[in-house]
Amino acid sequence: MKISLRKTSLVDYPGRVAGVLFFPGCTLRCPWCHNRDLVLGNDHLDFIFLDEALKHLEKRCAVLGGAVLSGGEPTLYEELPELIQRIKKLGLAVKIDTNGMEPAMLERLLDAEETAPDYIALDLKVAPWRYAFLGHTCEDPENMLAASAGLIRDAGIPHEFRTLVFPHKFVTPEDIESLAFLVDDAPWYFRIFRPGNCLDPAWNNLNAAEFRDAETLAKYAQALGKRGMCPL
Ligand code: SF4
């Protein structure tokens, strides 16, 4: 299998220096997605074989504290439990970034200590009923998202929720209210959208969202009793 590797990142795993593995393919088609080649599964010059990435992690495991499995969507891969086991054996903590559309894989991972991630970031994009408009091959995205969020809340491992904020109020307080039942007392980060290489090129014509847009939604989440935050 081929993936894309960011050898070192200071921002993708809270509190750890990490290597980031980006997996191709996704069941959603968010128009703002910046990982166009990955999502469309286009082979790309910087793609390398998974074993090469593992060799890098092994070579740098004294410097790295963790590995982030991101995408695209990593939970689409049957090999994921074995991969996590191999990374953990290197002494690295594993974080998964997921869109929550594969609860069956999450359940498998969380079933055993050796395959359970050490940290999970779950994207909450829009109100659950609006996911149908993002879906590509995912059936019943609303229930998939709810199932994944429930598994993550019950797993007792560190996690966070993430929502992107747009300049044209694509995500509204009503979305936040509809998503809030999925969220526990873990941080819920509101980050701002920036145009550039979007999956739908029309989205490149939008301005970046403003910090105050993110602040408004984070405060709205706080008013609902959640830990809404907007990192700079
Ligand atoms: S879920 Fe993530 S990787 Fe998939 S299309 Fe949306 S933003 Fe891109």
Side-chain angles (χ1 to χ4, degrees):
M1 181 204 310
K2 280 180 140 182
I3 59 144
S4 178
L5 172 70
R6 182 178 297 150
K7 290 186 172 177
T8 309
S9 166
L10 300 176
V11 297
D12 287 280
Y13 197 139
R16 290 179 186 269
V17 180
V20 188
L21 283 63
F22 297 94
F23 291 75
C26 188
T27 47
L28 297 183
R29 289 290 183 270
C30 311
W32 57 84
C33 178
H34 281 181
N35 293 328
R36 190 184 170 80
D37 286 323
L38 274 169
V39 165
L40 298 178
N42 296 336
D43 203 356
H44 202 264
L45 281 180
D46 73 355
F47 280 13
I48 59 171
F49 285 105
L50 187 56
D51 276 345
E52 280 179 65
L54 284 166
K55 273 186 201 146
H56 164 77
L57 294 179
E58 190 171 3
K59 204 164 74 188
R60 302 290 308 277
C61 64
V63 180
L64 298 173
V68 178
L69 310 182
S70 190
E73 179 53 45
T75 59
L76 291 174
Y77 287 88
E78 277 298 306
E79 301 90 335
L80 202 59
E82 191 199 329
L83 175 63
I84 291 177
Q85 264 182 317
R86 288 176 70 183
I87 296 173
K88 285 183 147 193
K89 277 188 186 154
L90 298 175
L92 298 175
V94 176
K95 170 177 177 257
I96 286 193
D97 294 339
T98 181
N99 63 17
M101 294 298 112
E102 302 293 329
M105 174 56 84
L106 273 182
E107 195 168 16
R108 254 176 85 188
L109 297 178
L110 293 168
D111 199 39
E113 201 179 325
E114 51 287 2
T115 58
D118 302 285
Y119 195 105
I120 302 178
L122 175 65
D123 286 347
L124 301 176
K125 296 172 186 299
V126 287
W129 63 268
R130 292 180 67 201
Y131 270 66
F133 301 105
L134 304 175
H136 167 57
T137 55
C138 183
E139 283 179 25
D140 202 4
E142 188 170 346
N143 280 324
M144 296 296 129
L145 183 68
S148 291
L151 286 163
I152 293 167
R153 288 194 308 268
D154 293 345
I157 60 174
H159 57 278
E160 67 181 49
F161 303 94
R162 314 187 298 192
T163 297
L164 206 54
V165 178
F166 299 93
H168 55 330
K169 308 220 174 345
F170 183 77
V171 177
T172 64
E174 289 72 33
D175 287 290
I176 303 312
E177 196 164 348
S178 301
L179 287 165
F181 81 101
L182 300 173
V183 173
D184 58 8
D185 58 359
W188 186 357
Y189 291 112
F190 291 85
R191 293 195 167 86
I192 57 178
F193 160 84
R194 290 188 174 82
N197 196 32
C198 291
L199 193 56
D200 177 348
W203 283 60
N204 288 326
N205 299 326
L206 296 175
N207 295 322
E210 295 195 22
F211 185 71
R212 65 165 180 258
D213 299 325
E215 220 174 20
T216 301
L217 292 186
K219 282 190 179 150
Y220 196 78
Q222 288 166 14
L224 296 169
K226 309 299 172 184
R227 284 175 64 197
M229 299 180 183
C230 33
L232 290 171

